[in-house]
Amino acid sequence: MNIVILSRNPHLYSTLRLIEEGRKRQHRVEVIDPLKCDIIIEKEKPTIYYKDRYLDYVDAIIPRIGASITFYGCAVVRQFEMMNVFSIVSSGAILRSRDKLKSLQLLSKAGIGMPKTVFTNYSRDVEEVIAHVGGVPVIIKLLEGTQGLGVVLAETKNAAESVLEAFNGLEARVIVQEFIKEAKGADLRALIVDGQVVGAMKRQGKEGEFRSNLHRGGSAEIVKLSDAELKLAMNAAKALKLPVCGVDMLQSARGPLLLEINSTPGLEGIEGATGRNIAKAIITYIEKNR
C-alpha cells in the first residue's frame, strides 16, 4: 500500500516509528507536510497537489496534525476522504476532539463520567461559577490549550477571580473544572487502536506540579486498567468516533473521570512506558480496512 503520514516534522518519534513499522510490512510510506498541499476542487475530480505531483496514488493516510494547524490540516484530510482514501481518524472526528467544549458536551450526553465543568460567557460572577464545580480549588483551562499549556490551578477564590479576570480581559475562552484532589497530580492515558485499548500508562506530575504531562517533566509507567477504566476509555473513543486516540482519565473517589481525548496522540511516552508496539498496531489497523 501507499501510506502517507501527514506531519510537519518527519523527525518526530511518532512519525519515525510509523515509517519504520509501515516499511517493515512492505508498504511504501512517505511524510507529507499538510500545509504544503494544494486542495483542488472540481466536479467529480477532487485532487491534492503536493510540490510537483498529484497525490492520486495514496491508499491510506495517518494524520499527525498539530492543534495550531487544525483548520487547514483537517481540510487536507477531508479532501483525501473525498478521494476515497482511508484515514485512521476522520476530519470530523479530529475537529470534534479539538473543540474541548463540544467534545465534553458530547461525552456528557453519552454518559461518560468527568469532573464537574462550567463554561460561561465572560461571567463576572466568579463566586457562582466556583460554586457550580464544588468550590475552590478549581482548574481553569483555555479551550485552545495543549500539552498542559493554558491550564491553571486556582487554590483560592481570590486567585480564581484574578485568573478569570485576566482571561476575560484577553477575550480568551475558558472552562472551569472541579479539582480532583485524590488524583494527586497523576492521570491515566489509554491508547486506543481499532476501538480497543492497546496500551495504558500512569503519568505522574513532578514534585509540586498538578499537571502530569510528560512535556512538563512528568514521568510515566505501565499500568493495568480496571474494568471501569477500560470501559470509560473505549466508550469515550466510540462517542467521539475516534478509532485511534489517546484517552486521558483521572482516578477519583467516585470512579474514573475523563480528562480529555487526543485524536493524534504521541507514541514515545506510551511505547516507552509499556514496551508495546503501538505503531505496528496502527499499521495493522490500516491493513484491516483497505
Side-chain angles (χ1 to χ4, degrees):
M1 275 192 293
N2 291 304
I3 299 173
V4 160
I5 301 170
L6 292 172
S7 172
R8 299 200 66 204
N9 187 347
H11 306 297
L12 289 175
Y13 175 92
S14 301
T15 305
L16 290 171
R17 285 286 295 118
L18 289 162
I19 293 168
E20 179 186 12
E21 291 301 327
R23 288 177 180 167
K24 264 189 198 173
R25 297 177 72 84
Q26 308 304 310
H27 302 301
R28 289 174 294 281
V29 186
E30 63 179 315
V31 180
I32 282 174
D33 182 346
L35 291 189
K36 292 180 180 169
C37 290
D38 294 330
I39 295 169
I40 300 168
I41 302 166
E42 60 179 310
K43 184 182 177 183
E44 294 180 355
K45 198 188 171 188
T47 51
I48 294 174
Y49 190 76
Y50 179 74
K51 291 187 175 176
D52 58 353
R53 64 195 187 279
Y54 291 98
L55 301 181
D56 53 5
Y57 54 86
V58 180
D59 297 304
I61 59 169
I62 302 174
R64 302 289 313 165
I65 292 163
S68 62
I69 64 158
T70 297
F71 177 80
Y72 198 80
C74 282
V76 172
V77 174
R78 190 162 52 245
Q79 187 75 349
F80 274 115
E81 290 166 351
M82 299 300 110
M83 296 159 61
N84 296 317
V85 173
F86 176 74
S87 176
I88 65 164
V89 284
S90 72
S91 56
I94 295 171
L95 286 168
R96 266 192 302 278
S97 70
R98 291 280 163 86
D99 184 334
K100 278 186 187 155
L101 181 61
K102 183 177 183 179
S103 65
L104 287 174
Q105 288 172 309
L106 291 168
L107 291 161
S108 169
K109 186 172 188 252
I112 306 295
M114 62 187 72
K116 289 178 194 166
T117 302
V118 176
F119 174 71
T120 100
N121 192 37
Y122 307 130
S123 171
R124 301 211 175 276
D125 196 344
V126 177
E127 232 172 281
E128 197 173 88
V129 171
I130 292 169
H132 282 314
V133 296
V136 290
V138 295
I139 300 289
I140 301 170
K141 288 183 183 177
L142 273 175
L143 282 178
E144 294 83 25
T146 59
Q147 296 176 355
L149 297 170
V151 181
V152 178
L153 170 63
E155 301 197 61
T156 66
K157 182 172 147 307
N158 285 346
E161 217 162 71
S162 299
V163 172
L164 284 171
E165 280 174 5
F167 280 143
N168 286 349
L170 295 168
E171 295 193 349
R173 299 278 185 188
V174 298
I175 53 175
V176 179
Q177 280 189 327
E178 157 192 23
F179 177 60
I180 307 299
K181 186 180 178 183
E182 59 267 32
K184 297 178 182 173
D187 71 11
L188 306 175
R189 167 160 287 192
L191 211 296
I192 305 271
V193 178
D194 199 7
Q196 300 297 311
V197 175
V198 294
M201 62 179 171
K202 184 169 188 171
R203 303 183 298 187
Q204 180 68 55
K206 63 184 180 182
E207 190 70 33
E209 173 62 75
F210 71 96
R211 293 165 294 188
S212 59
N213 305 70
L214 301 184
H215 293 88
R216 311 202 64 80
S219 59
E221 62 181 13
I222 190 169
V223 70
K224 182 173 169 54
L225 297 180
S226 68
D227 288 347
E229 289 157 356
L230 284 167
K231 187 178 175 185
L232 184 146
M234 291 189 288
N235 285 348
K238 187 179 175 184
L240 291 191
K241 297 179 181 167
L242 282 167
V244 177
C245 61
V247 179
D248 296 342
M249 299 171 279
L250 294 173
Q251 293 176 305
S252 83
R254 60 182 191 269
L257 301 175
L258 183 120
L259 201 50
E260 65 178 7
I261 298 192
N262 189 327
S263 52
T264 53
L267 303 184
E268 187 170 10
I270 193 90
E271 286 197 338
T274 65
R276 301 273 170 82
N277 192 336
I278 309 293
K280 180 182 175 184
I282 291 171
I283 299 298
T284 304
Y285 171 60
I286 292 172
E287 292 169 349
K288 278 175 63 180
N289 286 274
R290 282 302 302 167

